[in-house]
Amino acid sequence: MQRRFADTMTEMRGLINEWSAPSGFSGEPEADVLLAVSGGIDSMCMAELFAALEPHVPFALAHCNFHLRGEESDGDEALVADWAREHSVPLHITSFDTEKYASDNGISIEMAARELRYGWFAQLCSQHGYKAVAVAHNANDNAETLLLNLLRGSGLKGVTGMSLTSPLPCAPGSDALLLRPLLRCTRKQIEGYMFAFRHSYREDSTNAVSDYKRNRIRNEVFPIFEKINPSFIRTLIAVFDDLEWEFYFYKAVLMHINRLRERNVEVIYPE
């Protein structure tokens, strides 16, 4: 688990080092990477791995309290605050009235939380000079996203899944990168790491409820897949990698064809 994470961070480290601080920021950045930490097992695992990483990548934490789960939400915030204090890591905390934002904008709670948190992350990067935001999406999340996109009738781009790096979503004009350093790790690997080292994390009780489409896939569909193929997540990861390369090859060919057309060059397609 640690080796896989370190290998992924080796790929990302060069990009982080070369990436400029957000435009308009002047001064010395507090850290290079801002970790989005909810207090759940995935994001706490990411924080623990960053803390143990050698060579060290300077990082800070950001925690959003969406006030959707009452005392549970406050307990999540307390855990993240305690961890940041114990590890002497800079911490940013904010609270949102997520339900009001969703109602005012006519969007779902999930989309409201997404827009609120990424908009705030972009502000923090601009204010403190963070080059990137790291989120704890893992291989299982990627598989869930693929199936959701397929059910929505997505095109080729949708079935490539998530990428290790991408622009920060819901933040037009932001220079910050979005990093997914756990994307090649399965949830079982994350659980194994946290249990082995007895690291603390919080359970989100809503994860066990299948009211949301993503939760239904996780709780009801994936167990069936696992009975058919116990390694189905690894199989899907390999498919993601192949499809991603094919997608970018397709885009490159299409761009080349468009340039030829602009120069009035006849393009002959094979039969």
Side-chain angles (χ1 to χ4, degrees):
M1 173 73 190
Q2 283 179 284
R3 179 174 294 180
R4 185 178 295 274
F5 176 80
D7 289 344
T8 301
M9 286 305 301
T10 298
E11 293 180 38
M12 294 180 171
R13 196 186 302 273
L15 183 61
I16 294 169
N17 290 340
E18 293 175 6
W19 205 256
S20 301
S23 57
F25 175 80
S26 59
E28 188 67 25
E30 294 181 16
D32 288 336
V33 183
L34 180 67
L35 309 191
V37 180
S38 67
I41 190 169
D42 297 333
S43 62
M44 292 305 296
C45 178
M46 179 174 67
E48 295 287 356
L49 288 168
F50 262 91
L53 187 63
E54 292 293 344
H56 181 66
V57 173
F59 67 94
L61 304 187
H63 176 80
C64 304
N65 189 332
F66 295 106
H67 292 291
L68 295 173
R69 296 170 16 253
E71 292 183 359
E72 275 193 34
S73 295
D74 295 336
D76 297 345
E77 179 179 321
L79 173 67
V80 175
D82 288 343
W83 191 95
R85 184 169 54 254
E86 291 170 5
H87 291 78
S88 301
V89 173
L91 170 65
H92 308 278
I93 294 177
T94 194
S95 297
F96 296 115
D97 188 340
T98 314
E99 292 180 339
K100 183 177 186 303
Y101 182 89
S103 177
D104 290 347
N105 291 276
I107 56 178
S108 67
I109 293 291
E110 285 180 296
M111 183 56 67
R114 187 172 190 267
E115 290 184 2
L116 287 167
R117 68 175 176 267
Y118 282 119
W120 182 55
F121 295 157
Q123 291 178 16
L124 290 175
C125 289
S126 179
Q127 293 168 359
H128 299 274
Y130 304 129
K131 298 178 181 180
V133 176
V135 293
H137 294 147
N138 58 53
N140 292 60
D141 296 321
N142 211 359
E144 292 162 11
T145 298
L146 169 66
L147 291 182
L148 284 170
N149 288 342
L150 287 173
L151 291 172
R152 295 182 184 122
S154 173
L156 182 58
K157 173 57 179 170
V159 296
T160 59
M162 294 183 277
S163 301
L164 286 173
T165 61
S166 64
L168 197 65
C170 304
S174 175
D175 301 323
L177 283 169
L178 183 67
L179 309 179
R180 299 183 177 94
L182 297 186
L183 199 59
R184 292 171 176 162
C185 303
T186 65
R187 185 159 289 123
K188 283 188 176 180
Q189 288 176 317
I190 291 169
E191 291 171 350
Y193 175 81
M194 294 296 279
F195 295 160
F197 290 94
R198 298 184 179 181
H199 292 313
S200 299
Y201 64 92
R202 296 273 297 178
E203 289 280 5
D204 183 345
S205 61
T206 63
N207 286 338
V209 180
S210 297
D211 291 345
Y212 298 107
K213 293 176 183 177
R214 184 176 291 274
N215 282 14
R216 184 163 297 166
I217 288 173
R218 180 184 305 155
N219 299 331
E220 299 177 15
V221 177
F222 276 12
I224 297 174
F225 284 2
E226 195 166 17
K227 288 180 181 178
I228 298 170
N229 176 6
S231 302
F232 82 95
I233 292 292
R234 286 280 171 226
T235 302
L236 286 176
I237 290 173
V239 172
F240 291 148
D241 289 342
D242 289 342
L243 285 174
E244 187 169 20
W245 280 110
E246 290 173 11
F247 173 72
Y248 287 115
F249 176 76
Y250 164 79
K251 281 186 66 176
V253 171
L254 192 61
M255 288 175 60
H256 183 62
I257 290 173
N258 288 336
R259 290 195 191 103
L260 291 175
R261 285 176 172 170
E262 289 171 1
R263 293 161 53 191
N264 296 317
V265 176
E266 182 181 3
V267 178
I268 301 175
Y269 299 94
E271 295 183 0

